[in-house]
Amino acid sequence: MLSALLALGGLNAGCQAQAIANPPPNPELVAEAKEALRLKDRARLAAANAMAQAQQHPLASWIDYWDLGLRLTELSQADLEAFYARWRGSYVEDRMRNDWLLELGRRRDWADFVIDYPRFKMNDDREVSCYALLTEYQQGRDVLDRARSTWLAQRDGDDGCQLLASTLYDAKKFTDADIWLKLRYAFENNKPRAIKQAASLLGKPTQMAIADIQDNAVRYLSRKASASNRLNAELSTVALIRVAANDSEQAADLLERVWTHKLPDDLAAWAWAQVARNATFNLLPEAADHYLRALKLAGISVGTNIGTNIGTPADKAPAWSIDTLGGAVRAGLRADAGKGRPALVLQAIQLMPPAEQARDAWQYWRARAQLDLAPAGKASDAQRTQAQQALQALASPLHYYGQLAAEDLGLRLPLPATPRPPSDEEKGLAFVNPGLNRGLALLAYGLRSEGVREWNFTLIGMNDRDLLAAAALACEREVWDRCISASERTRTEVSIAQRFPLPFRKEVLAKAGDIGLDPAYVYGLIRQESRFVMDARSSVGASGLMQIMPNTARWTAKKAGIEFRPEWLSDRDFNLRIGTQYLKLVLDDLDGSTALAAAAYNAGPNRPRRWRDGPVLDAAVWTENIPFNETRDYVKKVLSNSAIYAQLLGEGKTSLRERLGQPIGPKSADAPPSNTELP
């Protein structure tokens, strides 16, 4: 079986299997090709490509991809078909198809586009989707609903979605109301290109007014704005959205004094919702009141019990963004000095699209809101049972909300039983898989982004046994992030050893023990920071296992009396030593709160110091209200990871609630002053 597979895999399988087992061959050729690509030197890259093909280099497909990419504007469909044939079934075939479809769209070559598009396996490019919808429209198909949702979901401007929108607007399929909805979203997300493109559909005078608003929204509101007709009211609304993004209190004052009474209720509701969203981001206590006002203007009454909050018709719900509705949930949790407003939480979740409501976060907080709203007595037993069933369905030892749900129900769920290990045959199939081997070879060459993409593409469509075998291949090579990546995709067969590996156990336990840190917390943080990639480097320059910034490492080394050199940050032991030292300093400065310290490790210590001001909050509510999406997600995953690692290590707090710790609020008056030097 394996010999036949090797024969089928041919050169690619054999070369790449060798590449991951041994030092990568001819790294100079890959470096030469990458440099030529960076310089956009076509002749130099073409020469490197010719050499790679002649040598049958394990990364010849990627060098070929880079070469064609530089010449894409000059190629024909026949050139691309030849490339596809050379690298059939590979990641670069599908990625080149993505690039080519974009080129065909820009050329308006719809004949070749409709030939190639059905073969696009990933189909993960929104601009390509817009071009594809346009071709369907040209063929007489009804694409209106799909086109509107795709265009509105587009975060920033591009040619494909603009062409789709302009075509449908000119055909009177899209209305002015659709364009203004797009503009409100674009202003909310501060996307200048999307604003400019949408405004261009409404004519020159409106375009100029939008440009004035972008330049100075407060001046526009004071000198030019009105609500004399729908057009002027829409312009005034996006100006208020612009003001709210910079200063929610100023926007609230403008609405209170002038604009709530002038604008139509639906637009006044939008403006208040944006004031509320930005007040929530800034953790202002009036955020929940602003949301309630917005909902009232939108014709939605937030009651005091569960019965008054069910069944807002979908056609009556305002088309507010998920970010705005998520802000309402967070404002509701934080409201009234931490007591919360569960009716607001529940109503905001009910206004979300069904697919969004199904997310773990909203399932959890909806169940909690239902329990909080249930009056005492038997009359509410059914309501409580419904909420508890929702928590039961969510309960899991493997993720943050599942752990919270289980603990709220008083359950201590064991980790999943170890599945049957991959057989020799299953592992053998993974070993000769060309895509897996190409991904690992790319990583061995230091091409991390390319290697990760190749690896993840190859995992598409694998069953649990295939995924466990792929993870085993990466684990054996100590490519821990790819081991975790493959294993996390299994659905029923869960290998905790693969998903939560314990590399460098002796070193981590020693470094943590030397300074009194919980090793499970250190492991939970490393898994989130670098997934145990020793040479990991972030876009901002953080390095190594614990992703330490050079200036932070220098300061910490000086504080701890440790010699420091920047190049040492990629050394495993030095990175662990300096990272744990810094984490301990952060933890001590933030009263031992692991939630605060994790937030500080990700966003810097000054931000969580500000975020703890205000009411004393349950630690889970405080975590949910972290303003930055990245940091919020980071803290949840570090603490959830830590609870699992505590079970694996047989020490430390295995309860997520214990790890979240005591309620979080302002620093007590008798506590030592904050270490303001802490970077």
Side-chain angles (χ1 to χ4, degrees):
M1 168 69 84
L2 290 183
S3 60
L5 285 165
L6 281 166
L8 287 171
L11 170 75
N12 283 340
C15 285
Q16 287 152 19
Q18 182 181 14
I20 61 170
N22 302 307
N26 199 353
E28 295 81 8
L29 178 58
V30 177
E32 166 72 6
K34 280 293 283 184
E35 180 65 8
L37 177 65
R38 187 185 70 82
L39 296 173
K40 298 184 179 179
D41 187 332
R42 295 188 182 191
R44 187 174 169 186
L45 185 51
N49 188 18
M51 186 175 296
Q53 308 307 318
Q55 293 180 1
Q56 298 182 330
H57 193 281
L59 296 189
S61 61
W62 276 88
I63 297 173
D64 199 13
Y65 170 73
W66 298 334
D67 182 19
L68 261 68
L70 280 189
R71 299 183 285 112
L72 201 61
T73 58
E74 302 167 0
L75 301 181
S76 68
Q77 187 68 37
D79 295 320
L80 271 295
E81 294 295 345
F83 178 88
Y84 300 155
R86 285 197 296 277
W87 310 113
R88 186 72 67 203
S90 69
Y91 171 79
V92 295
E93 180 202 358
D94 211 55
R95 181 47 57 197
M96 180 58 80
R97 180 169 286 113
N98 189 165
D99 299 343
W100 182 237
L101 287 168
L102 290 172
E103 173 64 22
L104 291 174
R106 293 178 190 121
R107 293 182 187 183
R108 309 307 191 238
D109 181 350
W110 307 123
D112 283 331
F113 187 98
V114 297
I115 292 171
D116 221 353
Y117 178 69
R119 298 182 289 180
F120 185 20
K121 183 176 179 181
M122 286 181 289
N123 201 9
D124 57 352
D125 187 305
R126 199 176 300 279
E127 186 175 9
V128 169
S129 297
C130 284
Y131 284 135
L133 286 164
L134 181 59
T135 63
E136 287 191 55
Y137 174 72
Q138 291 168 340
Q139 295 165 5
R141 298 177 193 168
D142 181 6
V143 300
L144 185 58
D145 289 342
R146 286 184 292 143
R148 183 184 288 112
S149 62
T150 300
W151 178 58
L152 291 174
Q154 170 210 30
R155 294 289 283 190
D156 208 350
D158 60 53
D159 176 70
C161 292
Q162 178 66 5
L163 181 61
L164 175 67
S166 62
T167 301
L168 293 176
Y169 184 69
D170 290 343
K172 301 189 185 308
K173 301 294 184 181
F174 278 8
T175 66
D176 284 1
D178 294 321
I179 310 305
W180 282 109
L181 180 58
K182 175 70 174 182
L183 278 165
R184 282 180 242 138
Y185 287 148
F187 268 96
E188 175 183 336
N189 293 306
N190 190 26
K191 297 297 182 182
R193 187 181 180 198
I195 292 169
K196 183 177 180 180
Q197 287 187 346
S200 71
L201 301 176
L202 297 172
K204 197 68 174 179
T206 302
Q207 245 185 310
M208 293 174 64
I210 292 288
D212 283 349
I213 290 167
Q214 289 180 279
D215 184 52
N216 191 321
V218 173
R219 183 178 61 198
Y220 178 86
L221 287 166
S222 66
R223 297 181 183 179
K224 299 181 180 181
S226 78
S228 58
N229 55 37
R230 186 70 187 191
L231 170 60
N232 287 327
E234 292 278 15
L235 286 166
S236 299
T237 301
V238 295
L240 287 162
I241 293 171
R242 181 81 165 183
V243 174
N246 296 318
D247 188 337
S248 63
E249 292 174 293
Q250 183 181 19
D253 180 63
L254 287 167
L255 277 164
E256 189 70 58
R257 289 190 297 103
V258 180
W259 292 102
T260 301
H261 315 293
K262 287 188 174 185
L263 292 172
D265 283 351
D266 66 315
L267 294 181
W270 264 88
W272 274 111
Q274 290 307 299
V275 168
R277 179 193 175 199
N278 288 285
T280 302
F281 180 85
N282 291 304
L283 306 178
L284 300 179
E286 57 268 27
D289 289 332
H290 293 334
Y291 270 117
L292 291 175
R293 188 158 189 176
L295 288 166
K296 184 176 180 180
L297 285 163
I300 299 169
S301 176
V302 178
T304 57
N305 62 71
I306 189 74
T308 62
N309 287 280
I310 286 181
T312 300
D315 60 346
K316 300 295 184 184
W320 297 344
S321 70
I322 297 303
D323 287 343
T324 297
L325 293 170
V329 174
R330 296 183 179 99
L333 293 172
R334 188 181 175 88
D336 299 338
K339 297 182 180 67
R341 295 189 191 175
L344 174 57
V345 170
L346 197 61
Q347 183 64 83
I349 294 171
Q350 289 173 184
L351 291 173
M352 295 175 180
E356 184 67 21
Q357 290 187 37
R359 287 184 54 208
D360 290 349
W362 311 134
Q363 288 288 308
Y364 176 75
W365 291 115
R366 172 158 55 189
R368 287 287 305 270
Q370 288 175 324
L371 290 172
D372 290 342
L373 285 170
K378 289 189 175 181
S380 298
D381 282 354
Q383 182 176 314
R384 277 187 287 272
T385 299
Q386 182 186 29
Q388 289 165 350
Q389 287 173 342
L391 291 174
Q392 183 72 54
L394 188 59
S396 167
L398 295 177
H399 56 83
Y400 179 82
Y401 291 106
Q403 292 164 337
L404 283 180
E407 291 178 27
D408 287 353
L409 294 169
L411 304 175
R412 300 303 291 267
L413 300 178
L415 295 173
T418 302
R420 176 173 54 86
S423 66
D424 289 343
E425 183 174 3
E426 288 168 333
K427 290 173 69 174
L429 290 170
F431 186 84
V432 297
N433 183 294
L436 296 181
N437 281 286
R438 251 192 314 271
L440 294 181
L442 285 158
L443 294 172
Y445 279 97
L447 301 173
R448 173 149 295 279
S449 174
E450 293 87 344
V452 166
R453 285 182 281 150
E454 180 90 53
W455 178 270
N456 290 344
F457 176 82
T458 307
L459 298 181
I460 295 172
M462 286 189 176
N463 62 34
D464 280 7
R465 299 304 303 173
D466 296 335
L467 291 166
L468 290 173
L473 171 65
C475 286
E476 288 180 11
R477 301 291 187 269
E478 298 185 357
V479 186
W480 302 110
D481 65 319
R482 295 305 91 206
C483 171
I484 295 168
S485 166
S487 189
E488 279 188 327
R489 295 176 184 231
T490 62
R491 292 162 287 279
T492 58
E493 298 197 47
V494 177
S495 170
I496 292 295
Q498 289 179 342
R499 292 193 187 192
F500 295 89
L502 287 159
F504 326 123
R505 180 169 181 162
K506 178 181 176 182
E507 292 78 12
V508 171
L509 294 181
K511 295 292 188 297
D514 287 347
I515 55 175
L517 266 180
D518 173 15
Y521 187 47
V522 176
Y523 262 116
L525 185 140
I526 294 174
R527 186 183 186 275
Q528 188 58 26
E529 282 286 353
S530 67
R531 292 204 163 183
F532 307 101
V533 176
M534 286 190 288
D535 61 352
R537 187 172 179 84
S538 77
S539 59
V540 295
S543 298
L545 284 177
M546 297 191 70
Q547 289 291 278
I548 302 292
M549 293 291 288
N551 288 340
T552 299
R554 184 178 290 105
W555 180 90
T556 304
K558 183 177 180 181
K559 193 80 173 175
I562 302 170
E563 186 181 355
F564 171 74
R565 293 182 187 174
E567 61 269 23
W568 291 351
L569 282 176
S570 296
D571 176 79
R572 180 196 65 194
D573 291 344
F574 182 82
N575 195 281
L576 277 172
R577 185 180 183 191
I578 210 74
T580 53
Q581 287 279 354
Y582 177 70
L583 181 59
K584 182 64 164 62
L585 290 168
V586 169
L587 197 61
D588 289 346
D589 187 64
L590 292 166
D591 308 331
S593 167
T594 53
L596 281 167
Y601 202 94
N602 178 261
N606 287 330
R607 290 190 177 98
R609 286 176 190 144
R610 294 195 303 270
W611 296 340
R612 70 185 298 185
D613 288 342
V616 176
L617 299 172
D618 171 82
V621 171
W622 181 87
T623 299
E624 198 66 54
N625 271 275
I626 292 173
F628 295 169
N629 294 341
E630 177 191 327
T631 304
R632 186 188 316 125
D633 184 64
Y634 177 90
V635 172
K636 292 174 189 175
K637 287 181 177 174
V638 167
L639 296 181
S640 175
N641 293 346
S642 300
I644 293 169
Y645 275 117
Q647 294 185 62
L648 295 176
L649 292 169
E651 57 180 281
K653 300 170 181 175
T654 59
S655 159
L656 177 59
R657 280 283 178 186
E658 287 180 311
R659 289 191 167 273
L660 281 163
Q662 296 298 312
I664 296 174
K667 196 176 185 75
S668 63
D670 58 351
S674 296
N675 182 356
T676 56
E677 295 180 3
L678 194 63

